[in-house]
Amino acid sequence: MVSLYANLTNLPSNNTKQVFARRSFLPEYPNGLWKIETGFVRTFTYLEDGTTVALGLWGPGDIVGKALSKLEPYQMECLTKVGATVLPLEEWTQLTETLLSHIQQAQELMVIRSHKKVDTMLIKLLAWLSKKFGSEVEKGRLIDMRLTHEDLAEMLGSTRVTITRVLGQFEQEGLIDRLSLHRIVVREEEIWYYEI
C-alpha cells in the first residue's frame, strides 16, 4: 500500500499552472494531485476486454489524481483544453473534502448507470451534467464540455449509435437543443416532465 504522504518525487518544482491540449492526458504523480483551474477532465479505467469505465467528470476547482484511486490503469483525459496545477499531497489540507467529493460523484454516476433503459440513463446523465457543469442560457442550461457521442456512450456502457439515436429522439421531443461542437442545451422543465 502506498502512503498518501510518502516522499514527493517527480513533481514539478513549482505550483505554476500547466496547460494541456484537448484529448491529452494529465501525467500521473503518485504523491501529487491535480487541481483543475480551467477546462474539463474525465477519469476512467479499462476492463480486461478493453471496455472503458467512466470514473468521473471534473471541472474548475475539482481535484483529480492517481493517489485517489487504487484502480489500474487510471487515466485522466482532458476533454477540453485544460489548465491545471500540481498539488503535493503533503501540502494538500483539504484531502477529506476531496475524498468526499469523489465518493459522492461515484455514487451519483452509479445510480445513473443503474437504470435499465439507455434513454433514462442518458436523460439523467444530461440533467446531472447540466446541474454540475452547465451555465444558464435563454432556453435552459448549456453543457459546454464538447462531449462526443462516444464519450457519452462510454459513460453509460452503451454504444455511440444508440446515443446518437436517443439524442436525436430527445431533440425531436424538445428536451434538448444540440449546438455545434458537441454542445447541448438541456431544457430543465421539459426534462422534469420526462422523468415523471
Side-chain angles (χ1 to χ4, degrees), residues 56-147:
L57 288 172
W58 313 96
D62 288 331
I63 307 296
V64 296
K66 173 69 176 140
L68 298 172
S69 177
K70 290 187 175 244
L71 295 175
E72 209 41 71
Y74 178 85
Q75 299 287 308
M76 299 170 284
E77 181 183 25
C78 301
L79 292 173
T80 61
K81 182 177 176 182
V82 170
T85 306
V86 173
L87 303 170
L89 274 174
E90 72 179 10
E91 296 174 15
W92 186 240
T93 58
Q94 298 169 330
L95 192 55
T96 301
E97 184 179 311
T98 299
L99 291 171
L100 287 174
S101 172
H102 279 251
I103 291 166
Q104 290 164 353
Q105 186 172 124
Q107 289 174 347
E108 290 168 342
L109 291 174
M110 194 181 320
V111 169
I112 290 168
R113 288 204 52 185
S114 295
H115 291 278
K116 303 293 184 230
K117 295 171 60 181
V118 173
D119 62 335
T120 305
M121 283 192 286
L122 184 55
I123 202 71
K124 297 279 188 186
L125 178 62
L126 292 175
W128 180 80
L129 289 169
S130 74
K131 287 178 189 154
K132 183 165 175 65
F133 301 112
S135 58
E136 199 69 39
V137 294
E138 186 179 328
K139 293 183 178 181
R141 293 190 61 81
L142 173 65
I143 303 169
D144 191 9
M145 297 177 72
R146 298 190 172 136
L147 292 167

